[in-house]
Every structure is written in structure tokens, then in C-alpha cells.
Amino acid sequence: MATLDLFNTLSGTVQPLSAVGAPELRMYCCGPTVYDYGHIGNFRTFLHVDVLRRFLRQQGVAIRYVMNITDVDDKIIRNAASAGLPIAEYARPFETAFFEDLEALGIERPEIIARATECIPEMVALVEQLAAKEFAYQAEDGSWYFRVARDEDYGKLAKKDLDQIEDGARIESGEFNKDAVRDFALWKAVKALPDGSKEASWQTPLGDGRPGWHLECSAMASKFLGDTFDLHAGGEDLMFPHHENEIAQSESATGKLFARHWMHVRFLLVEGKKMSKSEGNFYTLRDLLLRGHRVSALRFLLISVPYRHQLNFTFEDLAASANAIDRLRTFHKRMVKGADPKSIAPFAEGINPAIEEGTTQAAELYTAALANDLNTAEARAAIFDLVRAANTATDQGTLLRGNAVQILAVLDLFDGVFAVLKDRDAELTRAALVWAEKENRLNEADPALLETLAFSDAEIDALVAERTLAKKQRNFARADAIRNDLLGKGILLEDAKDGVRWKRK
RNA sequence: GCACCGAUGGCGAAGUGGCUAACGCGCUGGUCUGCAAAACCAGUAUUCAUGGGUUCAAAUCCCAUUCGGUGCUCCA
């Protein structure tokens, strides 16, 4: 039985994904161009790759995952120039922010992270290899281009017909000296910036210049994963021309298959429209945190819709995801208490076989759903079915301690991929506020959020204790006043049999 | 313009020929509670964008139309 059946863009079918000829599954994902903060669309892609990676590891597959950081490109050069900074100085803070965001979202760090600017020799070598085979040529201005016409199977990933590409293509200024419009830049000869100074460049045997965008991924993937590797992932927009060009470069140079499997994550819409700055529906993770949304809710929402489907992001659904997570966390705590013989009210000893069967079935459905092209929606449903059944049984007193232990194991399995049960939300929101203060953007923060977080846990605990005392004295007016006051500040109290619970909304 | 993908309840979404169309959120009523919250129970789409067709049988297959998205140009 296959560990994971995954849609392969190259073949157009769902195929088993597996490590071939190596103990580790070797995968590559196109990382960010670090010219700004990451937005929720960027993170949808990285989150789904994280789901893939976590699930494979759960299935016992070892992984070697490489992500590149594009730290030199047109936008970085342009923005750095207008900020009056060297490109590295301009880009580095965004790179740091990107990794902070990944961490906050629970996205595991790839084994290898490679910066484009640190792999220049490998890129140069690749162009030289291509030139030797006449796939690359140097134009009058000193730039190097890939000769698409010489690559017979060009277009095989995106299923493009070459004639169409030519029809739609347009000649960019500065690239007029290419032999054919569809030829793409491998190495861009150095140019002057608007202020007359020289843009960032490297002195190489190819001339003074900088790498083209597609070149870095080809060079880095080979450097760290070999000429042929198992999986290449990225957003759907990268399929053409970026990934197609990577294939063209790598396969023309090596004569070998580049990536066996290609995974493309679909774009998301925001409130029914394409996310864009001009529509005013463009959000970075940090924007959402300052508005009082929780990181866990965003993670859960973005991964709950399977990667091949368009997801329509709305604030209503973000709130719904937060509520769904609360339910899961409440349930998880209930099972932890019931399973612990030392807790105040552990469940009765034993195992109820009917519940045991349901638990096993939930785990099987969950695994089968993810193994089927990462159907996260169905995997989620299997877990919620278990939650409902277990809650009902608990209410009826038929769920025994052994069942709780088994259910916790299934929740661990679920959380190994979804990673939303552990509550770090308040902590991460606080970190975002610290960042906002440093960046002078605290004015963008939701006032209610600031008020809620201003309350320390100790202060809340003190008020809860005061209310418990008032309740004992049957002073319900005072008790309710404290509860309502806290609720107004975003803190919700729950009176349970074994004491008072509270949580930040 | 050309190519490709999609349209399922109030919202998100699973399901790709055959049991009462999953699951989450929301809403309404009930149980529990001093009152709440949490949890549970019941209800909440006779129907899957629209029109036609194939079939004993269609949300699922085919054709057309409408709307949305993507690529052809920087983009996750």
C-alpha cells in the first residue's frame, strides 16, 4: 500500500510518492523572494508542503527538504536602491521575518535553506554546462539566454504548446537582443541603477552580472538533492514559466530527469477576490495578528481546504476556525484529565470495546484521507466524528480510562500534522505586538486586543478566585459582575465540575 | 483573445455513477447549570450554478450558457 498518493502535475495523475534510490525522500520547494513580509497566500503554500512533510514523517519516511531564499531579484534591487541600502542589508530583515512567521505558523524548518547569493558558482557552472551543449548563448548586451527551441520537450510540465507561448509572449525592454521571444534569461548582465550607480552584480566567467530567477532553483536543487530527486513543490503560479524553465535548464544540462513528482498548491481568494494590494484585501500574517486573529486559526483554516482546491479566505471563516480549535482543545483537555489516574476525576478503569473500535476506525479514516492526495478536509472530519462520539460517551459515563488513552494517541496523530492543539496563541500575538512597537506600527493593533493582553494570567487568576469566593457566599451578583467584566475584556470563564477554566477569546 | 481549473446548505467544505448529500462554524429548541460557559440531543440542502442529454440509476458522465479563478507578463 502506498504511503501517499499525490497528484503529479507532470503526469497529470495521482501517483504514489516515494523515495527512489535513497534512504531519504528528497524534496524541494521554491521559497520566498525576500523583498517584503510574507502574506497569507505565500503561507498557504508553505503550510500545505508542511502538511505533506509532517504526514510523510508520520508514515515513517525520512525527508531531506530544501528551500531556497531568493535574495537577489529585480524587486529587491529596486527596493534596496530606493532605500539606499545594499541588497543584503535590505533583504535580510525580511528573511528573518519570514522564518519567524514560519515558526509561528508551526511550519517545520526545512533541513536545508539556501540563499541564491551563496550559490553563484553553482549557477555559473550550470550555464557553462548549458553553453557547452549549445542550450545557452550570450546576447549582445552580455546577458545569457536559454535557447528554448533547442529543448524538444519544453512545455511538458505546463502542457504548453510552443506556438501559443510565442503568440502570447511580449518582448521586454532590455531583452530585445534575444534570439527568440520565448528564450529566457539565465544570467543578466549588469545594468546601471536610475541614480547612475551599478546594480548588484558578481564578476564571473559569464561576465559581470547576476543570476536569472529560474537558474537558482535548478542549481540549488542539484547541489543539495542531486540531478534527479523525488518531489518539487510550489504555488500554482510558478508552474509556468518558472518550473518549466527549471526543467528545461536542468534536464538539458544533465540529460537526466529533474524532479519525478511536481506538486502545485492553488491560490487562495480573499473575500471572493484575488488578493491584491489595490483591492485592499492583502494580508500578511502580521496584519492578522495585530487585528487580534490567532495564528492557530489561520493555520487551521489554510490547511483545512485541500491544497488542490481554491480556498476563499474570509474573516468569518477565520473566526469559525478559532471556534473549531477551541472545541478540539477543550476535548483534548477533557481526555487528558480523564486518562490521568491522578487527576481529580479520572474516568473509570477499563476499555469500552465499542468505543475502542470507533477510535481505531477514526485513526484509519484519518490516515487514509491524508494518504489520498492529502485530503485534509476528510481527515479533519474523521477527527471531529471521534470528538463527538467520545464526548457523548463521556457524558453518558461509558467512556473508560483506557479509551481516553487511546483517543489521546489518535489526537497526537492528528496534531502531528495539523499542529493546532498546543495553545501558543497569546504568546505569539504578544511577540507580534513587540515587533509592531519596534516598527512603529502599534497604531494598527486592535485596541481590544491590547486590553486583553494587558491582563496577566496572575491578575485573571486572582479575579477568578474572588469570584469563586463570592459564589460560595451565594453572592451571584458579584460573581456575575466579575465574569461579565472579564468577558468584556476577551476572557471567557467556564465553571466545570473540577474547578474554573478560563481562556482568552 | 487562447488554454486550463472550478461552481454543493447562512458561511467554509467532503463526496466524482447506486445506502437517509460527510465534517466544521453559525442559527433555533431542549438537557445540564444559581445564571452562564463547556458538552450532549433534536432541527436547520428532497437537493448539488442554469438549461438540455446519456443511463435502470447523475452532485458525480456528455454538450451549451452564466459566473469565479489561473496561466500566456512579476507573483505562493
Side-chain angles (χ1 to χ4, degrees), chain A residues 153-198:
Chain A
D153 56 8
Y154 188 82
K156 69 175 177 180
L157 178 72
K159 320 279 183 272
K160 291 275 178 195
D161 181 327
L162 283 187
D163 300 336
Q164 266 172 28
I165 295 168
E166 198 145 16
D167 287 346
R170 108 187 120 95
I171 300 174
E172 295 166 42
S173 59
E175 295 196 351
F176 51 83
N177 46 14
K178 292 192 287 190
D179 284 2
V181 284
R182 61 177 184 246
D183 288 355
F184 58 89
L186 295 164
W187 185 262
K188 298 180 172 183
V190 68
K191 282 185 294 202
L193 288 166
D195 68 1
S197 66
K198 216 177 76 168

Short mmCIF file of all heavy atoms in Angstrom, two decimals, chain A residues 153-198:
data_model
loop_
_atom_site.label_atom_id
_atom_site.label_comp_id
_atom_site.label_asym_id
_atom_site.label_seq_id
_atom_site.Cartn_x
_atom_site.Cartn_y
_atom_site.Cartn_z
N ASP A 153 11.29 18.87 -25.43
CA ASP A 153 10.06 18.63 -24.65
C ASP A 153 9.69 19.84 -23.79
O ASP A 153 8.96 19.72 -22.81
CB ASP A 153 10.16 17.36 -23.81
CG ASP A 153 11.37 17.36 -22.90
OD1 ASP A 153 12.05 18.40 -22.81
OD2 ASP A 153 11.64 16.32 -22.27
N TYR A 154 10.16 21.01 -24.19
CA TYR A 154 9.80 22.22 -23.45
C TYR A 154 8.28 22.36 -23.45
O TYR A 154 7.63 22.21 -24.49
CB TYR A 154 10.43 23.46 -24.10
CG TYR A 154 10.24 24.71 -23.28
CD1 TYR A 154 11.07 24.98 -22.20
CD2 TYR A 154 9.19 25.59 -23.55
CE1 TYR A 154 10.90 26.11 -21.43
CE2 TYR A 154 9.01 26.72 -22.77
CZ TYR A 154 9.85 26.98 -21.71
OH TYR A 154 9.66 28.09 -20.94
N GLY A 155 7.72 22.65 -22.25
CA GLY A 155 6.27 22.78 -22.14
C GLY A 155 5.61 21.54 -21.57
O GLY A 155 4.40 21.50 -21.39
N LYS A 156 6.41 20.53 -21.24
CA LYS A 156 5.79 19.26 -20.82
C LYS A 156 5.13 19.34 -19.45
O LYS A 156 4.18 18.63 -19.17
CB LYS A 156 6.82 18.13 -20.83
CG LYS A 156 7.90 18.22 -19.77
CD LYS A 156 8.79 16.98 -19.82
CE LYS A 156 9.93 17.08 -18.82
NZ LYS A 156 10.79 15.89 -18.86
N LEU A 157 5.61 20.22 -18.59
CA LEU A 157 5.01 20.35 -17.27
C LEU A 157 3.70 21.13 -17.36
O LEU A 157 2.66 20.67 -16.90
CB LEU A 157 5.96 21.07 -16.31
CG LEU A 157 5.41 21.29 -14.90
CD1 LEU A 157 5.36 19.97 -14.13
CD2 LEU A 157 6.24 22.30 -14.13
N ALA A 158 3.77 22.29 -17.97
CA ALA A 158 2.60 23.16 -18.04
C ALA A 158 1.67 22.77 -19.18
O ALA A 158 0.60 23.35 -19.34
CB ALA A 158 3.05 24.61 -18.20
N LYS A 159 2.05 21.72 -19.93
CA LYS A 159 1.27 21.27 -21.09
C LYS A 159 1.05 22.43 -22.06
O LYS A 159 -0.06 22.73 -22.48
CB LYS A 159 -0.10 20.70 -20.66
CG LYS A 159 -0.05 19.86 -19.40
CD LYS A 159 0.40 18.44 -19.67
CE LYS A 159 0.37 17.60 -18.42
NZ LYS A 159 1.59 17.64 -17.63
N LYS A 160 2.15 23.09 -22.35
CA LYS A 160 2.09 24.24 -23.23
C LYS A 160 2.50 23.84 -24.64
O LYS A 160 3.43 23.07 -24.83
CB LYS A 160 3.08 25.32 -22.76
CG LYS A 160 2.69 25.96 -21.47
CD LYS A 160 1.72 27.08 -21.70
CE LYS A 160 1.32 27.65 -20.35
NZ LYS A 160 0.15 28.48 -20.44
N ASP A 161 1.83 24.48 -25.54
CA ASP A 161 2.15 24.32 -26.94
C ASP A 161 3.06 25.50 -27.27
O ASP A 161 2.74 26.64 -26.98
CB ASP A 161 0.80 24.41 -27.68
CG ASP A 161 0.94 24.25 -29.15
OD1 ASP A 161 1.97 24.68 -29.68
OD2 ASP A 161 0.01 23.69 -29.75
N LEU A 162 4.21 25.22 -27.84
CA LEU A 162 5.19 26.29 -28.07
C LEU A 162 4.65 27.45 -28.89
O LEU A 162 4.97 28.60 -28.63
CB LEU A 162 6.43 25.72 -28.78
CG LEU A 162 7.38 24.95 -27.88
CD1 LEU A 162 8.63 24.58 -28.64
CD2 LEU A 162 7.74 25.77 -26.64
N ASP A 163 3.83 27.18 -29.87
CA ASP A 163 3.32 28.24 -30.73
C ASP A 163 2.51 29.24 -29.93
O ASP A 163 2.59 30.45 -30.13
CB ASP A 163 2.44 27.65 -31.83
CG ASP A 163 3.24 26.67 -32.68
OD1 ASP A 163 4.47 26.83 -32.70
OD2 ASP A 163 2.64 25.77 -33.26
N GLN A 164 1.73 28.69 -28.99
CA GLN A 164 0.91 29.57 -28.15
C GLN A 164 1.76 30.50 -27.32
O GLN A 164 1.43 31.65 -27.11
CB GLN A 164 0.16 28.71 -27.15
CG GLN A 164 -1.20 28.35 -27.58
CD GLN A 164 -1.75 27.34 -26.61
OE1 GLN A 164 -1.38 27.32 -25.45
NE2 GLN A 164 -2.61 26.51 -27.09
N ILE A 165 2.85 29.93 -26.81
CA ILE A 165 3.71 30.74 -25.96
C ILE A 165 4.24 31.91 -26.77
O ILE A 165 4.25 33.04 -26.32
CB ILE A 165 4.89 29.89 -25.43
CG1 ILE A 165 4.36 28.81 -24.53
CG2 ILE A 165 5.88 30.77 -24.70
CD1 ILE A 165 5.38 27.76 -24.18
N GLU A 166 4.61 31.62 -27.98
CA GLU A 166 5.15 32.67 -28.82
C GLU A 166 4.10 33.73 -29.08
O GLU A 166 4.37 34.92 -29.03
CB GLU A 166 5.64 32.07 -30.14
CG GLU A 166 6.58 33.00 -30.84
CD GLU A 166 7.66 32.22 -31.56
OE1 GLU A 166 7.50 31.00 -31.75
OE2 GLU A 166 8.67 32.83 -31.91
N ASP A 167 2.86 33.29 -29.32
CA ASP A 167 1.79 34.24 -29.58
C ASP A 167 1.60 35.20 -28.43
O ASP A 167 1.45 36.39 -28.62
CB ASP A 167 0.45 33.50 -29.79
CG ASP A 167 0.44 32.80 -31.14
OD1 ASP A 167 1.31 33.12 -31.96
OD2 ASP A 167 -0.43 31.96 -31.35
N GLY A 168 1.57 34.63 -27.25
CA GLY A 168 1.24 35.45 -26.09
C GLY A 168 2.42 36.25 -25.58
O GLY A 168 2.25 37.22 -24.87
N ALA A 169 3.61 35.83 -25.90
CA ALA A 169 4.78 36.47 -25.32
C ALA A 169 4.95 37.89 -25.82
O ALA A 169 4.48 38.25 -26.89
CB ALA A 169 6.02 35.66 -25.66
N ARG A 170 5.62 38.67 -24.99
CA ARG A 170 5.89 40.02 -25.47
C ARG A 170 7.34 40.32 -25.16
O ARG A 170 7.93 39.79 -24.23
CB ARG A 170 4.87 40.97 -24.82
CG ARG A 170 5.35 41.89 -23.77
CD ARG A 170 4.15 42.60 -23.17
NE ARG A 170 4.09 42.30 -21.73
CZ ARG A 170 4.62 43.11 -20.82
NH1 ARG A 170 5.18 44.22 -21.16
NH2 ARG A 170 4.57 42.79 -19.54
N ILE A 171 7.92 41.15 -25.99
CA ILE A 171 9.34 41.42 -25.83
C ILE A 171 9.54 42.47 -24.76
O ILE A 171 8.97 43.55 -24.83
CB ILE A 171 9.95 41.89 -27.17
CG1 ILE A 171 9.76 40.79 -28.21
CG2 ILE A 171 11.42 42.21 -27.01
CD1 ILE A 171 10.18 41.18 -29.60
N GLU A 172 10.31 42.09 -23.75
CA GLU A 172 10.54 43.04 -22.68
C GLU A 172 11.65 44.00 -23.08
O GLU A 172 12.57 43.63 -23.79
CB GLU A 172 10.98 42.29 -21.41
CG GLU A 172 9.91 41.39 -20.86
CD GLU A 172 10.49 40.43 -19.84
OE1 GLU A 172 11.31 40.86 -19.03
OE2 GLU A 172 10.11 39.25 -19.89
N SER A 173 11.54 45.20 -22.56
CA SER A 173 12.59 46.15 -22.87
C SER A 173 13.88 45.63 -22.27
O SER A 173 13.89 45.07 -21.18
CB SER A 173 12.25 47.51 -22.28
OG SER A 173 12.11 47.39 -20.89
N GLY A 174 14.94 45.79 -22.97
CA GLY A 174 16.22 45.33 -22.48
C GLY A 174 16.51 43.90 -22.86
O GLY A 174 17.61 43.42 -22.68
N GLU A 175 15.51 43.20 -23.36
CA GLU A 175 15.75 41.82 -23.78
C GLU A 175 15.53 41.69 -25.27
O GLU A 175 15.28 40.62 -25.79
CB GLU A 175 14.83 40.87 -23.00
CG GLU A 175 15.13 40.87 -21.52
CD GLU A 175 14.52 39.69 -20.80
OE1 GLU A 175 13.71 38.97 -21.40
OE2 GLU A 175 14.87 39.49 -19.62
N PHE A 176 15.63 42.80 -25.96
CA PHE A 176 15.35 42.81 -27.39
C PHE A 176 16.40 42.04 -28.19
O PHE A 176 16.19 41.70 -29.33
CB PHE A 176 15.25 44.25 -27.91
CG PHE A 176 16.42 45.09 -27.51
CD1 PHE A 176 17.59 45.04 -28.24
CD2 PHE A 176 16.35 45.90 -26.38
CE1 PHE A 176 18.68 45.81 -27.86
CE2 PHE A 176 17.44 46.66 -25.99
CZ PHE A 176 18.61 46.61 -26.73
N ASN A 177 17.53 41.77 -27.55
CA ASN A 177 18.56 41.09 -28.32
C ASN A 177 18.57 39.58 -28.13
O ASN A 177 19.54 38.92 -28.43
CB ASN A 177 19.93 41.71 -28.03
CG ASN A 177 20.13 41.89 -26.53
OD1 ASN A 177 19.38 41.34 -25.73
ND2 ASN A 177 21.13 42.65 -26.17
N LYS A 178 17.49 39.05 -27.61
CA LYS A 178 17.35 37.60 -27.55
C LYS A 178 17.13 37.08 -28.96
O LYS A 178 16.59 37.78 -29.81
CB LYS A 178 16.12 37.21 -26.72
CG LYS A 178 16.24 37.52 -25.27
CD LYS A 178 15.13 36.84 -24.46
CE LYS A 178 13.79 37.50 -24.68
NZ LYS A 178 12.78 36.99 -23.72
N ASP A 179 17.47 35.81 -29.18
CA ASP A 179 17.25 35.22 -30.50
C ASP A 179 15.77 34.94 -30.74
O ASP A 179 15.31 34.96 -31.87
CB ASP A 179 18.02 33.89 -30.61
CG ASP A 179 19.51 34.16 -30.82
OD1 ASP A 179 19.89 35.35 -30.85
OD2 ASP A 179 20.27 33.19 -30.95
N ALA A 180 15.04 34.60 -29.69
CA ALA A 180 13.62 34.31 -29.83
C ALA A 180 12.91 34.86 -28.61
O ALA A 180 13.48 34.85 -27.51
CB ALA A 180 13.40 32.80 -29.92
N VAL A 181 11.68 35.30 -28.82
CA VAL A 181 10.99 35.95 -27.70
C VAL A 181 10.81 35.01 -26.51
O VAL A 181 10.80 35.45 -25.37
CB VAL A 181 9.61 36.51 -28.09
CG1 VAL A 181 9.76 37.79 -28.86
CG2 VAL A 181 8.79 35.48 -28.84
N ARG A 182 10.63 33.73 -26.76
CA ARG A 182 10.36 32.85 -25.63
C ARG A 182 11.64 32.41 -24.90
O ARG A 182 11.56 31.78 -23.86
CB ARG A 182 9.55 31.64 -26.07
CG ARG A 182 10.27 30.82 -27.11
CD ARG A 182 9.45 29.59 -27.45
NE ARG A 182 10.18 28.76 -28.36
CZ ARG A 182 9.82 28.52 -29.61
NH1 ARG A 182 8.72 29.06 -30.09
NH2 ARG A 182 10.54 27.74 -30.38
N ASP A 183 12.80 32.73 -25.42
CA ASP A 183 14.03 32.43 -24.71
C ASP A 183 14.04 33.21 -23.40
O ASP A 183 13.56 34.34 -23.34
CB ASP A 183 15.25 32.82 -25.56
CG ASP A 183 15.43 31.87 -26.74
OD1 ASP A 183 14.67 30.89 -26.82
OD2 ASP A 183 16.31 32.13 -27.56
N PHE A 184 14.56 32.58 -22.35
CA PHE A 184 14.53 33.27 -21.05
C PHE A 184 15.95 33.48 -20.52
O PHE A 184 16.87 32.74 -20.88
CB PHE A 184 13.67 32.50 -20.04
CG PHE A 184 14.12 31.09 -19.80
CD1 PHE A 184 15.06 30.79 -18.82
CD2 PHE A 184 13.58 30.04 -20.54
CE1 PHE A 184 15.46 29.49 -18.59
CE2 PHE A 184 13.99 28.73 -20.33
CZ PHE A 184 14.93 28.46 -19.35
N ALA A 185 16.07 34.48 -19.66
CA ALA A 185 17.39 34.88 -19.17
C ALA A 185 17.94 33.87 -18.16
O ALA A 185 17.24 33.43 -17.25
CB ALA A 185 17.30 36.25 -18.52
N LEU A 186 19.19 33.49 -18.37
CA LEU A 186 19.89 32.66 -17.40
C LEU A 186 20.75 33.56 -16.51
O LEU A 186 20.82 33.39 -15.29
CB LEU A 186 20.80 31.67 -18.13
CG LEU A 186 20.09 30.62 -18.99
CD1 LEU A 186 21.07 29.97 -19.96
CD2 LEU A 186 19.44 29.56 -18.11
N TRP A 187 21.38 34.51 -17.15
CA TRP A 187 22.31 35.40 -16.46
C TRP A 187 22.11 36.79 -17.03
O TRP A 187 22.16 36.99 -18.24
CB TRP A 187 23.75 34.92 -16.70
CG TRP A 187 24.77 35.68 -15.95
CD1 TRP A 187 25.55 36.71 -16.42
CD2 TRP A 187 25.15 35.51 -14.58
NE1 TRP A 187 26.37 37.19 -15.44
CE2 TRP A 187 26.15 36.46 -14.29
CE3 TRP A 187 24.72 34.64 -13.57
CZ2 TRP A 187 26.75 36.57 -13.03
CZ3 TRP A 187 25.32 34.74 -12.32
CH2 TRP A 187 26.31 35.69 -12.05
N LYS A 188 21.84 37.74 -16.13
CA LYS A 188 21.55 39.10 -16.58
C LYS A 188 22.78 40.00 -16.43
O LYS A 188 23.29 40.13 -15.31
CB LYS A 188 20.40 39.69 -15.78
CG LYS A 188 19.10 38.92 -15.93
CD LYS A 188 17.99 39.56 -15.11
CE LYS A 188 16.66 38.90 -15.44
NZ LYS A 188 15.54 39.52 -14.74
N ALA A 189 23.21 40.56 -17.54
CA ALA A 189 24.38 41.44 -17.50
C ALA A 189 24.07 42.66 -16.63
O ALA A 189 22.93 43.11 -16.56
CB ALA A 189 24.74 41.89 -18.91
N VAL A 190 25.09 43.12 -15.95
CA VAL A 190 24.91 44.24 -15.03
C VAL A 190 24.39 45.48 -15.75
O VAL A 190 24.71 45.72 -16.92
CB VAL A 190 26.25 44.55 -14.29
CG1 VAL A 190 27.28 45.10 -15.27
CG2 VAL A 190 26.02 45.51 -13.14
N LYS A 191 23.53 46.21 -15.03
CA LYS A 191 22.97 47.45 -15.58
C LYS A 191 23.18 48.57 -14.57
O LYS A 191 23.47 48.31 -13.40
CB LYS A 191 21.46 47.28 -15.83
CG LYS A 191 21.15 46.49 -17.09
CD LYS A 191 19.66 46.46 -17.37
CE LYS A 191 18.90 45.70 -16.31
NZ LYS A 191 17.60 45.19 -16.69
N ALA A 192 22.97 49.76 -15.03
CA ALA A 192 23.10 50.91 -14.13
C ALA A 192 21.75 51.16 -13.46
O ALA A 192 20.70 50.94 -14.05
CB ALA A 192 23.52 52.14 -14.91
N LEU A 193 21.80 51.58 -12.21
CA LEU A 193 20.59 51.96 -11.50
C LEU A 193 20.17 53.36 -11.94
O LEU A 193 20.97 54.08 -12.54
CB LEU A 193 20.86 51.95 -9.99
CG LEU A 193 21.02 50.55 -9.39
CD1 LEU A 193 21.61 50.63 -8.00
CD2 LEU A 193 19.68 49.84 -9.35
N PRO A 194 18.93 53.74 -11.64
CA PRO A 194 18.48 55.08 -12.06
C PRO A 194 19.43 56.20 -11.61
O PRO A 194 19.59 57.19 -12.33
CB PRO A 194 17.12 55.22 -11.37
CG PRO A 194 16.66 53.82 -11.18
CD PRO A 194 17.88 52.99 -10.97
N ASP A 195 20.04 56.03 -10.47
CA ASP A 195 20.92 57.10 -9.99
C ASP A 195 22.33 57.02 -10.62
O ASP A 195 23.23 57.78 -10.26
CB ASP A 195 21.04 57.08 -8.46
CG ASP A 195 21.77 55.84 -7.95
OD1 ASP A 195 22.20 55.01 -8.79
OD2 ASP A 195 21.92 55.70 -6.73
N GLY A 196 22.49 56.09 -11.54
CA GLY A 196 23.77 56.02 -12.24
C GLY A 196 24.74 55.02 -11.65
O GLY A 196 25.70 54.61 -12.31
N SER A 197 24.48 54.58 -10.41
CA SER A 197 25.40 53.61 -9.81
C SER A 197 25.10 52.22 -10.37
O SER A 197 24.07 51.99 -11.00
CB SER A 197 25.25 53.61 -8.28
OG SER A 197 23.96 53.14 -7.95
N LYS A 198 26.01 51.29 -10.10
CA LYS A 198 25.89 49.95 -10.66
C LYS A 198 24.98 49.09 -9.76
O LYS A 198 25.09 49.16 -8.54
CB LYS A 198 27.30 49.34 -10.69
CG LYS A 198 27.58 48.46 -11.87
CD LYS A 198 29.02 47.97 -11.84
CE LYS A 198 29.22 46.88 -10.82
NZ LYS A 198 30.50 46.18 -10.94
#
